[in-house]
Amino acid sequence: MESSSKLAGHWSASATQASDSGKRAGLTLALPAWLGWALKRIASSLLGIIVISMLVFAATQVLPSDPARTILGPEATEDAVQVFREKLGLDQPLIKQYWQWISRAAQGDWGHSIDSNMPVTQLIAGRVNNSLALVASVLVLIVPGSLIAGVFLALRRDGWLDRTLVASMIALKAIPSFAIAIGLVMLLATSVFSIFPAVSLLDPNRSAFAQPQFMILPALTLVVATMPYLVRLVRGAMIEVLDAEFITSARLRGLSKRVLIWQYAIPNAVIPAIQAIALTTSVLLGGVLVVEVVFTYPGIGSALNAAVDIRDIPVIQAIVVFLAASVMTVNLIADLATVLLTPRLRTRPGKEAA
Amino acid sequence: MSTALTVRDLRIGIGQGINLVADINFSVRAGEVLALVGESGSGKTTIAMALLAHTRAGAVIESGAVLTDGLDILSLSEAELRHVRGNIISLVAQNPAMALNPLRTIGQHLHDVLKAHQPELDVDSRSARIAEVMQDTGLPGDAAFLKRFPHQLSGGQQQRILLGLAFVLRPRVIVLDEPTTALDVSSQARILVTIRTLCQRYGTAAVYVSHDLAVVRQLADHVMVLYAGRIAEIAPRASLFALPRHPYSHGLLEAIPDIALRRAPSPIPGQAVGPAQRGAGCAFAPRCRHADGICQAQAPRLRDVAPDHQAGVHQLACHHTALGLTLSQPQPSLATQQRDQSSLPPVLYLHEVSAHYGKQPVLHGVSLSVSMGECLAIVGQSGSGKTTLAKIMAGLDIAASGRINFNGHELPMRAADRAPAQRHKIQYIFQNPYQALNPRHTVGETLATAARHFFKQDAGDIAQQVNAALHKVALPARVATQYPRELSGGELQRIAIARALICQPSLLICDEITSALDVSVQANILELLQSLQQQGLAIIFVTHNLGVVRAIADRVLVLNHGITVESGLVDALLDQPVQEYTKQLIADSPSLFSDLAA
């Protein structure tokens, strides 16, 4: 990495030197320099999703359970199970089964739930919406919250407030999210203050946003579980930028504190924060599994938990592929944003970000 | 001309009664350049930053005044300072790549500073001012250029932008902190001319911090030599370079390898004292040949030594004002005296070596050879491919084609493919000694690890070899138990050399190994390399400093854009260069003896 970035520096230096006399041709071209990189990055994300779907399919098929037996129950005869297995296509080679599964999935048909015989898409659509509503509400709270708190603490570095909050955030980070959930339930839903419902009995016919009282405790749990990391990262990034030579230089040119903070420091601190937000979003997508189970919130987390319990393979496959694709997409967006916000990366054709 | 800047009794401390600099008094006239010179720890940057009422974390300006037009900058509030900084007194930082905001275009940088100090200007007036300053600093002022980001400029252009940012409001005083250290000689020579011109044109007083006396001689009107946080000598340029009065000034001048001088530079013995170890006497006394009882007992005061002030103020802080120190002078026609060792069988021979980084070619068919006991210098500007060439010889993984012959045997390109018996014969020493040694190993462990890697032997033998290697680089055996952080840069570079020597090499590749070191330490290392060379070691010395080449190399190869421009015996080539490129490189190299155009 070290040598490759040095090398790239060498390239761009010689490129600029070469074009010193004339105008830079690259600047007048209609196609931006990063486009090639972006297309490659998108293609590799798609490839990644396909590879994950293969792994998920293989893993669920290799599990020591027989869908035909699961569906027909223990009393069914071996012959009946065999017939049903052929009907499900389970006697065919694994690659052929995969191809059938993935080509149908690509058209939106993820098969039927073994448990309820409902189409998987129909079964999980509402659940996906509920979970996304939860993750979105958490992000809306923690992203601006962490940026503000991180910058605020960085500007008061080593003051009593900074030291107290950093210490308590480290302590919070050490508590597992299910413990936070239980603690919040005890505090806000039962004996101490009985303000919010302890379980999230959402009406499936209405949007989750229309029933905010059921989202508050799960969302609060996720906020408490993920925000300390993000605040500390923004604070660290901001401190690093504030210590950078270009800030000192700009301060010694008489630029006002307002310009220094808003136009010089924060934009530079936001770039590392983008990757951290992506990471936090991935953690949230995983975190909903635990929190939804604790609050019996009807999202994909609790659905996956139930599906694993009864070996409902089509549902497991669909949810895991969905989660993997979401994580990939989030990272793709974060990488694109990083490149677009970093001139050094944006103006350099064909180079990897980060 | 009028006095633009006066500094009185400046004292900067780090608490507990320890001061970094003290008793600093000087003034600079409008349009003139005062150079602050000294080695690391001399306090030159500390003083320069204090002129903008700025200190590094932990240091405090304890007393003193920095006056410009009757205004004491040190007495201002933070809000008042904001109007002074960049407007009345401005700064050009050392490392231009780090001093510019990577997310803002250079046009935005210039607009920002104008907006900060002259908010009444509209966009068009600001743009007009920017166009003017771009012309002043020798940069294209078109819209496309102003839309570039810092990383799209060369180092020289970045430094010109910093100059432009510092000059755009026509300040009374400009502070330049080693502004050319990161540049190659040709960019440096052009920037120095620009600085000089702008200071004269706008009557700006400049304070120029540098460790390079040869550069200072091209630029400064007065020179202030600092030692251990005190002024050792202030003199007009001509006086200082002709007749230095302080033994430290003299030592510094003698320690500089000069392109016009075929001699080993003489190091100043010993090390500078830290701010906490300063005793009652003269801080330089422990390293001074002329020191006597009074120097140990009493710190000398700064006194006028040329009271008529005809040539300008000349002040000296030394008890001995009549030492009659003389400087080495260049001798003509050296070329005929140089021994030619290239007729000896070569230790290493490169035939038509080419290399690429990705699709970018960096070396085109370079051939060279180096014989036993010979020092070959590889010279070129940044990006010339000189370090790539050195790495290929060392077998560091670089996509290269061509042939390498070592002691008569074909050598594989990659070190991993070379036999251990071949590998230990070629040793590589890096530029930055601070990063080249494992900080968690003692010096002894570092050296023993290298010895064990190549030679199977018992612990007693290895301990003996470690001692012998330390002895060869003139370090005491007790250093073996110390960690890198306890040692100075010069000592660390000696240890890096010792680590190479313990592998029993026949070829030493030195990649700019003295460029991160102070001149007196550099002189020390060059002396050591010469003694190793006399013992039969072949040395390849990669550098951009032609003074160093003249001082230690036998032959030189000049590289430009990966092509051999010229090669030959050092004296012949430096005295009578054939190629235009070499001539330019020589002309751009600052020298203590060349005729000054000004």
Side-chain angles (χ1 to χ4, degrees), chain A residues 62-202:
Chain A
V62 167
L63 278 181
S65 83
D66 182 349
R69 170 64 71 188
T70 311
I71 295 166
L72 294 179
E75 277 94 41
T77 63
E78 193 53 44
D79 287 348
V81 171
Q82 189 56 38
V83 170
F84 193 57
R85 197 177 278 140
E86 278 164 28
K87 188 183 160 224
L88 288 176
L90 295 177
D91 55 336
Q92 306 215 1
L94 209 56
I95 293 176
K96 201 168 174 191
Q97 288 186 49
Y98 171 74
W99 177 248
Q100 281 174 349
W101 172 69
I102 198 71
S103 49
R104 281 195 205 126
Q107 294 158 35
D109 174 12
W110 289 84
H112 287 69
S113 162
I114 290 173
D115 179 44
S116 62
N117 208 27
M118 266 168 58
V120 171
T121 39
Q122 196 184 328
L123 191 80
I124 68 170
R127 300 292 193 121
V128 165
N129 285 340
N130 288 345
S131 288
L132 288 184
L134 187 57
V135 170
S137 331
V138 173
L139 283 174
V140 162
L141 290 172
I142 64 168
V143 170
S146 306
L147 288 174
I148 292 166
V151 169
F152 183 85
L153 291 182
L155 293 175
R156 279 154 193 78
R157 159 170 35 156
D158 298 334
W160 68 269
L161 185 68
D162 178 48
R163 274 177 308 180
T164 318
L165 283 179
V166 168
S168 34
M169 282 189 298
I170 292 169
L172 265 186
K173 188 84 185 65
I175 306 174
S177 53
F178 73 86
I180 297 172
I182 292 166
L184 285 173
V185 167
M186 280 170 21
L187 186 69
L188 297 174
T190 54
S191 40
V192 188
F193 305 101
S194 196
I195 311 171
F196 304 113
V199 287
S200 304
L201 304 167
L202 261 72

Side-chain angles (χ1 to χ4, degrees), chain A residues 15-23, chain B residues 140 145 148 152-154 157:
Chain A
T16 20
Q17 272 159 18
S19 60
D20 271 348
S21 46
K23 280 181 184 166
Chain B
F145 190 84
R148 286 203 198 174
Q152 293 170 312
L153 307 183
S154 68
Q157 288 175 327

Side-chain angles (χ1 to χ4, degrees), chain B residues 17-309:
Chain B
I18 299 170
N19 62 67
L20 296 171
V21 301
D23 304 327
I24 305 298
N25 289 282
F26 64 88
S27 61
V28 192
R29 280 183 291 192
E32 289 197 342
V33 180
L34 170 75
L36 308 191
V37 299
E39 299 180 275
S40 3
S42 64
K44 54 189 190 301
T45 298
T46 309
I47 295 171
M49 290 300 156
L51 302 181
L52 290 111
H54 176 72
T55 53
R56 63 173 166 80
V60 184
I61 300 174
E62 289 173 350
S63 64
V66 173
L67 301 159
T68 174
D69 293 335
L71 182 72
D72 181 5
I73 288 168
L74 300 186
S75 72
L76 300 178
S77 70
E78 198 62 32
E80 291 165 325
L81 272 177
R82 197 180 81 62
H83 296 289
V84 171
R85 289 170 172 165
N87 192 12
I88 294 171
I89 179 161
S90 62
L91 170 75
V92 176
Q94 177 170 11
N95 188 342
M98 308 275 283
L100 293 167
N101 184 345
L103 298 190
R104 285 181 95 68
T105 64
I106 56 177
Q108 284 174 320
H109 276 94
L110 286 157
H111 277 284
D112 286 345
V113 71
L114 283 171
K115 270 192 260 181
H117 294 290
Q118 304 193 341
E120 69 280 2
L121 291 184
D122 61 14
V123 184
D124 291 337
S125 341
R126 285 205 305 265
S127 298
R129 287 291 294 278
I130 288 169
E132 209 176 318
V133 82
M134 293 298 276
Q135 194 172 7
D136 277 346
T137 51
L139 288 167
D142 57 287
F145 190 84
L146 288 169
K147 273 192 190 135
R148 286 203 198 174
F149 288 94
H151 76 275
Q152 293 170 312
L153 307 183
S154 68
Q157 288 175 327
Q158 289 171 341
Q159 197 55 277
R160 279 171 192 279
I161 290 297
L162 286 190
L163 267 184
L165 288 167
F167 265 108
V168 68
L169 289 153
R170 311 268 162 82
R172 288 284 282 155
V173 182
I174 179 167
V175 177
L176 303 115
D177 184 11
E178 308 233 14
T180 63
T181 310
L183 306 180
D184 55 49
V185 284
S186 298
S187 314
Q188 168 173 286
R190 290 193 295 269
I191 288 261
L192 291 178
V193 171
T194 308
I195 293 172
R196 173 105 235 164
T197 314
L198 290 179
C199 285
Q200 281 169 352
R201 185 180 304 162
Y202 300 121
T204 310
V207 174
Y208 187 97
V209 174
S210 181
H211 67 279
D212 191 337
L213 277 167
V215 166
V216 163
R217 183 167 169 271
Q218 319 288 307
L219 182 74
D221 298 291
H222 288 81
V223 182
M224 180 164 113
V225 180
L226 289 155
Y227 186 78
R230 303 286 185 278
I231 298 174
E233 184 169 6
I234 303 183
R237 175 186 59 192
S239 314
L240 186 93
F241 286 94
L243 288 166
R245 304 285 292 268
H246 197 285
Y248 179 63
S249 315
H250 177 258
L252 269 187
L253 284 167
E254 287 288 289
I256 300 174
D258 196 282
I259 183 166
L261 214 54
R262 172 101 199 155
R263 59 138 170 90
S266 19
I268 305 172
Q271 274 178 35
V273 291
Q277 302 136 11
R278 219 180 274 120
C282 171
F284 188 62
R287 303 173 74 184
C288 185
R289 273 187 297 144
H290 310 282
D292 54 19
I294 188 163
C295 302
Q296 313 288 352
Q298 191 185 337
R301 287 163 47 99
L302 196 66
R303 283 173 301 185
D304 277 317
V305 286
D308 57 345
H309 283 212

